Amino acid sequence: SCLCGSAPCLLCGCCPSAKNSTISRLLFTFFLFLGTLVSIIMIIPGVEKELHKLPGFCEGSGLVLGLQPHVDCGSFLGHKAVYRMGFAMAAFFFLFAVLMACVRSSQDPRAALQNGFWFFKFLLLVGITVGAFYIPDGAFTSVWFYFGVVGSFLFILIQLVLLIDLAHSWSQRWLRNADESNAKGWYAALCTVTFIFYAASVAAVVLLYVYYTKPEGCTEGKAFISINLILCLVVSVVSILPKIQEAQPHSGLLQASLITLYTIYVTWSALANVPTQRCNPTLLVRNGTASGTATEPPTTWWDAPSIVGLVIFVLCTLFISLRSSDHPQVNKLMLTEESGAGAGAGPGGEAEEGGVRRAYDNEQEGVSYSYTFFHLCLLLAALYIMMTLTNWYRPDESLQVLRSPWTAVWVKISSSWAGLLLYLWTLVAPLVFPDRDFS
């Protein structure tokens, strides 16, 4: 019953009091992280060669499944394996996004699918994954690349919304603590963290100029770094203007420094995809056949931008699963209820005495988050991690060589500009629309 019943049953008697909605989100996130772990294992250098040694892994498996007698190993391993794993996770979350459309409370029969039957959900994910590995090569990888690009761009925007909200909440909390306790330590901590963020950003900009530009040429890299540096200076200055401070007293340099640091990271990630060896020392090219030259290094996901992107992905996904924002505007955008304003728990909403019932249904009167939007966020997260683990590389027209396209560069740079404009809008919106509540 624990595997097939409601989500609260999973934590009965073993964890502190928890909400049904939180447990369900964490378990779906666990599925995403499990798929991510499998993708990482498939892309680790050396795994492909070891899997080739397994008897019947590439030949003979088709006979067992009643399919073609020979299955191309390239469909199972490396870059293509990550694409198929990403497709399986995206299809899984898209299915639940459709099934959970317009669910208003846990009284809806479909809510049982959201909050229970976890064993069967796991079997469904495994089944979709196995089926994804038998998708014919053809144009699948090339077409799915563009799905990944669009989904990753949208997830980067979600990351930016969460980052801006985190920066505002962080600053407000520390300033509130400083006002309540009259302690100069909070102000010192605020200044120290802000200085560290700006110092790291300046150091990163210098390194980008050193490693990703040359005195002659590399015009695109110079332009991207310079434009983003100027935009970061603009938002930093705007955040401390008297008019902005009057409209938003909690606005300050902490938020601007965090946005600046993230923008520089996105710029670095974009420059790491510039398809010019002279301007991109981290550029990798991988031949998918044995005809590749020995001088070409293999493509791996173990580069610094991808590792940082993986960490940010994990933090943002957990953020989506665990927290409702303190800001009503962000809650409206993310389709979650205000913190502390969730639906009533109804009978037995509190944990029973003695700690027997530690998990409870807090969505009897209404859902505390949009089921569909949550699954769409995980769908976009699956596409983002798929692109991150493959370095945003795609096969060429011959499907033999993986290359870094300019598409990846422009998507990342555009997302950095969108993030800066979004943050700038959060600063000037109260001045443009003085009659609206932006608290």
Side-chain angles (χ1 to χ4, degrees):
S1 61
C2 283
L3 291 176
C4 305
S6 62
C9 186
L10 288 172
L11 298 188
C12 284
C14 60
C15 290
S17 178
K19 299 176 181 178
N20 191 24
S21 60
T22 303
I23 299 171
S24 297
R25 283 180 285 182
L26 284 176
L27 289 174
F28 275 113
T29 303
F30 171 75
F31 283 171
L32 176 63
F33 287 166
L34 185 63
T36 302
L37 179 61
V38 173
S39 299
I40 291 175
I41 293 174
M42 299 301 286
I43 205 71
I44 288 178
V47 171
E48 181 174 352
K49 186 170 72 172
E50 294 301 321
L51 289 177
H52 270 289
K53 299 178 181 178
L54 294 179
F57 185 79
C58 293
E59 297 186 11
S61 57
L63 294 175
V64 177
L65 297 175
L67 299 175
Q68 64 270 30
H70 175 75
V71 180
D72 182 12
C73 286
S75 300
F76 289 86
L77 308 173
H79 180 95
K80 295 180 180 180
V82 175
Y83 268 45
R84 280 158 171 73
M85 195 68 219
F87 174 83
M89 291 190 293
F92 176 78
F93 292 119
F94 178 77
L95 175 63
F96 276 93
V98 174
L99 292 176
M100 295 298 112
C102 301
V103 174
R104 302 302 181 190
S105 76
S106 61
Q107 304 300 322
D108 190 309
R110 291 177 294 166
L113 295 176
Q114 173 75 7
N115 300 317
F117 301 99
W118 296 103
F119 178 70
F120 296 109
K121 289 176 185 176
F122 177 75
L123 292 182
L124 176 63
L125 179 59
V126 172
I128 295 176
T129 302
V130 172
F133 276 84
Y134 284 94
I135 297 177
D137 275 339
F140 170 78
T141 304
S142 300
V143 173
W144 191 241
F145 168 82
Y146 291 102
F147 278 91
V149 167
V150 175
S152 300
F153 177 80
L154 296 176
F155 187 74
I156 290 175
L157 293 183
I158 293 176
Q159 285 183 336
L160 292 166
V161 172
L162 298 177
L163 186 67
I164 293 171
D165 176 51
L166 172 64
H168 280 297
S169 300
W170 188 354
S171 178
Q172 288 183 12
R173 186 172 294 109
W174 280 19
L175 291 175
R176 190 182 304 117
N177 292 340
D179 293 337
E180 293 175 355
S181 60
N182 295 321
K184 296 182 179 179
W186 289 107
Y187 290 108
L190 200 65
C191 294
T192 301
V193 173
T194 302
F195 174 77
I196 292 174
F197 285 164
Y198 274 123
S201 300
V202 172
V205 168
V206 173
L207 292 175
L208 291 181
Y209 274 118
V210 171
Y211 289 100
Y212 291 92
T213 64
K214 300 294 181 182
E216 297 181 0
C218 302
T219 307
E220 297 87 355
K222 295 176 183 177
F224 292 152
I225 300 173
S226 301
I227 291 174
N228 280 359
L229 178 60
I230 294 173
L231 291 176
C232 289
L233 291 174
V234 169
V235 298
S236 298
V237 171
V238 171
S239 66
I240 57 175
L241 291 177
K243 287 287 187 181
I244 300 296
Q245 290 289 312
E246 181 180 349
Q248 296 199 63
H250 292 289
S251 174
L253 289 177
L254 176 62
Q255 298 94 312
S257 64
L258 185 57
I259 299 301
T260 297
L261 184 60
Y262 183 79
T263 300
I264 299 303
Y265 155 70
V266 176
T267 306
W268 172 36
S269 180
L271 294 176
N273 279 108
V274 172
T276 305
Q277 190 74 53
R278 182 170 178 270
C279 304
N280 180 10
T282 60
L283 180 67
L284 299 170
V285 177
R286 176 186 176 180
N287 279 351
T289 63
S291 62
T293 61
T295 59
E296 291 178 333
T299 298
T300 68
W301 71 277
W302 300 100
D303 63 331
S306 295
I307 293 175
V308 175
L310 180 62
V311 173
I312 295 175
F313 153 79
V314 171
L315 295 178
C316 286
T317 307
L318 289 176
F319 194 93
I320 293 172
S321 302
L322 292 175
R323 181 176 180 272
S324 292
S325 175
D326 296 327
H327 298 278
Q329 299 297 330
V330 176
N331 284 319
K332 290 178 182 178
L333 181 62
M334 301 300 292
L335 300 182
T336 58
E337 291 200 1
E338 296 182 25
S339 179
E350 300 297 332
E352 294 181 0
E353 294 184 4
V356 176
R357 187 177 185 182
R358 298 180 180 274
Y360 59 90
D361 184 3
N362 66 316
E363 299 183 305
Q364 292 183 6
E365 301 296 330
V367 296
S368 62
Y369 65 100
S370 170
Y371 292 171
T372 295
F373 186 79
F374 172 71
H375 289 296
L376 289 177
C377 286
L378 294 188
L379 186 157
L380 298 178
L383 295 177
Y384 173 81
I385 199 62
M386 178 187 76
M387 300 303 294
T388 299
L389 294 181
T390 58
N391 287 318
W392 293 66
Y393 286 17
R394 68 173 177 84
D396 63 358
E397 291 73 12
S398 65
L399 301 179
Q400 300 298 326
V401 181
L402 294 174
R403 298 190 182 278
S404 180
W406 276 105
T407 305
V409 180
W410 282 107
V411 167
K412 294 180 180 181
I413 288 295
S414 300
S415 66
S416 69
W417 294 341
L420 289 171
L421 292 177
L422 183 61
Y423 174 64
L424 185 62
W425 173 249
T426 65
L427 297 176
V428 302
L431 298 179
V432 178
F433 300 101
D435 296 333
R436 293 184 59 184
D437 179 20
F438 289 95
S439 60

